[in-house]
């Protein structure tokens, strides 16, 4: 079988502090478009790749994380949508569309096929399977419904609310009849939260000198549910506004990922006095709920009750800057890298 060229994004080396696109580089290798004899692997053509905040942790060496660090000199990997070109696995056939873990390259030989999910519904954008119909969607669903146990009329706050997960949490809360406030880092994103996603209120956290006073302004009666994507000073300020028996789902801490010394919390006493439940979670613990989630979300998408905003960048050459842009808030919505459209 003839080999073809395969453009790849390579991780250069472990990062301290704020990463840059110079921490990755583009190269071209070759790959045989054939699965090795007797292998259980699948060979795929990658279509869409997902840029996600958790990938920053993988750029630092650690042996204690829930997911391994990237290997210097190796191809980056993450969630993607791909088309099967050849399969040694009985669960997948040539022509199948799948989503799951794949390489940041044009073609990948995937040996860990247990991470893959076959795509059966194709009358929605395929890129949705690394967003609203993929890991971010499941994250929003599990964190909000399973951990926060929301009730109609409750007061809900979402940080990093215009991102891949936050935009969904806010819309789920509105569908349930909650009062929802979101924060983001630009006027454009704040307008998006109110005018497209239907949040009751939204604010630019960069314009607020006193986060405590800001939260008191938007939540004079306190917060029932906080969906935390940022951690740090925002989480500390929220602890002072929580209502009795409030719930906090700790999804991410993007404000801390590039700090050499993470910020501490000073308002933890409120967890006791307000009997607040704080729970961190990993979405992989909830993938058994994926069929149930799909039953809920697909009708909402098709009926226009839930909308999803993507920030799309074309080509593997631009993938490094797309990933780095997450940490300065450059993206508006779910960051997607288009490798090929078919």
């Amino acid at each position: 079988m003839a080999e073809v060229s395969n453009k790849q994004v390579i991780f250069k080396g472990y990062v301290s502090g704020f990463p840059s696109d110079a921490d990755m580089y583009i190269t071209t290798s070759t790959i045989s478009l054939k699965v090795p004899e007797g292998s259980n692997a699948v060979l795929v053509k990658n279509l869409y790749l997902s840029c996600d905040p958790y990938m920053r942790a993988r750029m630092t060496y650690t042996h204690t994380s829930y997911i391994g660090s990237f290997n210097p000199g190796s191809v980056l990997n993450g969630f993607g949508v791909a088309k099967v070109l050849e399969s040694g696995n009985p669960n997948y056939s040539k022509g199948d569309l799948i989503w799951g873990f794949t390489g940041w390259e044009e073609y990948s030989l995937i040996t860990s096929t247990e991470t893959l999910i076959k795509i059966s519904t194709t009358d929605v954008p395929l890129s949705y399977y690394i967003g609203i119909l993929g890991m971010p969607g499941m994250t929003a669903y599990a964190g909000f419904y399973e951990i926060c146990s929301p009730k109609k009329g409750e007061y809900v706050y979402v940080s990093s609310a215009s991102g891949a997960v936050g935009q969904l949490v806010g819309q789920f809360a509105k569908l349930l009849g909650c009062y929802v406030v979101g924060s983001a880092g630009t006027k454009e994103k704040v307008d998006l939260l109110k005018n497209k996603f239907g949040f009751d209120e939204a604010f630019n956290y960069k314009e607020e000198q006193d986060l405590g006073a800001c939260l008191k302004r938007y939540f004079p009666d306190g917060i029932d549910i906080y969906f935390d994507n940022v951690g740090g000073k925002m989480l500390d300020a929220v602890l002072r506004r929580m209502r009795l028996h409030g719930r906090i789902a700790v999804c991410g801490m993007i404000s801390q990922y590039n700090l050499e010394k993470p910020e501490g919390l000073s308002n933890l006493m409120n967890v006791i006095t307000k009997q607040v439940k704080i729970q961190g979670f990993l979405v992989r613990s909830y993938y058994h709920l994926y069929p149930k989630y799909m039953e809920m979300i697909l009708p909402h998408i098709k009926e226009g009750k839930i909308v999803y905003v993507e920030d799309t960048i074309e080509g593997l050459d631009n993938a490094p800057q797309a990933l780095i842009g997450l940490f300065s808030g450059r993206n508006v919505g779910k960051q997607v890298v288009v490798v090929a459209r078919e």
Side-chain angles (χ1 to χ4, degrees), residues 195-228:
N195 300 328
K196 192 170 186 71
F197 300 138
F199 284 58
D200 294 288
E201 291 289 350
F203 65 90
N204 183 346
Y205 71 91
K206 294 179 181 176
E207 296 178 348
E208 299 294 338
Q209 301 299 313
D210 184 337
L211 291 175
C214 170
L215 292 172
K216 186 174 183 179
R217 189 164 72 245
Y218 288 103
F219 293 100
D221 297 318
I223 299 168
D224 291 297
I225 291 172
Y226 174 43
F227 198 99
D228 184 22

Side-chain angles (χ1 to χ4, degrees), residues 63-277:
H63 57 82
T64 59
S65 175
Y66 66 93
I67 189 168
S69 300
F70 291 128
N71 294 316
S74 297
V75 179
L76 273 79
N77 56 28
F79 287 98
V81 173
K83 186 173 186 176
V84 176
L85 299 182
E86 188 173 288
S87 176
N89 187 308
N91 296 322
Y92 304 98
S93 302
K94 181 178 179 179
D96 283 348
L97 292 164
I98 55 95
W99 72 269
F101 245 56
T102 189
W104 276 36
E105 54 191 348
E106 290 177 291
Y107 302 95
S108 293
L109 183 68
I110 302 175
T111 55
S112 299
T113 55
E114 66 275 4
T115 69
L116 304 180
I117 296 177
K118 192 182 297 186
I119 294 173
S120 56
T121 301
T122 56
D123 58 349
V124 293
L126 285 179
S127 57
Y128 275 15
Y129 284 92
I130 50 171
I132 186 171
L133 300 179
M135 182 272 288
M138 272 302 302
T139 301
Y141 177 77
F144 185 62
Y145 291 107
E146 296 296 312
I147 291 175
C148 293
S149 303
K151 305 179 194 67
K152 181 178 179 180
E154 289 193 310
Y155 302 109
V156 176
Y157 172 47
V158 186
S159 57
S160 193
S162 67
V165 174
Q167 59 175 289
L168 293 174
V169 175
Q171 292 180 82
F172 292 164
K174 286 306 300 176
L175 283 175
L176 194 60
C178 298
Y179 170 79
V180 186
V181 177
S183 59
T186 68
K187 181 183 184 300
E188 177 188 9
K189 292 177 181 180
V190 168
D191 290 344
L192 195 67
L193 293 177
K194 292 192 287 188
N195 300 328
K196 192 170 186 71
F197 300 138
F199 284 58
D200 294 288
E201 291 289 350
F203 65 90
N204 183 346
Y205 71 91
K206 294 179 181 176
E207 296 178 348
E208 299 294 338
Q209 301 299 313
D210 184 337
L211 291 175
C214 170
L215 292 172
K216 186 174 183 179
R217 189 164 72 245
Y218 288 103
F219 293 100
D221 297 318
I223 299 168
D224 291 297
I225 291 172
Y226 174 43
F227 198 99
D228 184 22
N229 289 306
V230 301
K233 293 182 176 67
M234 185 64 81
L235 173 58
D236 206 32
V238 167
L239 288 173
R240 298 183 63 184
R241 297 303 307 160
M242 292 303 294
R243 288 161 62 93
L244 192 65
H245 300 300
R247 287 87 71 205
I248 299 176
V250 184
C251 175
M253 294 200 170
I254 199 168
S255 73
Q256 307 298 295
Y257 294 158
N258 298 310
L259 301 181
E260 294 193 18
K261 184 179 180 182
E263 297 167 328
L265 301 175
S266 59
N267 293 315
L268 283 170
M269 181 60 75
N270 292 275
V271 176
I272 300 172
T273 58
K274 297 293 182 64
Q275 301 177 63
V276 174
K277 169 188 165 185

Side-chain angles (χ1 to χ4, degrees), residues 1-2 31-37 39 41-43 85-87 109:
M1 173 66 70
I31 186 172
S32 171
L33 296 184
K34 188 160 183 65
V35 173
E37 192 74 31
S39 170
V42 294
L43 179 74
L85 299 182
E86 188 173 288
S87 176
L109 183 68

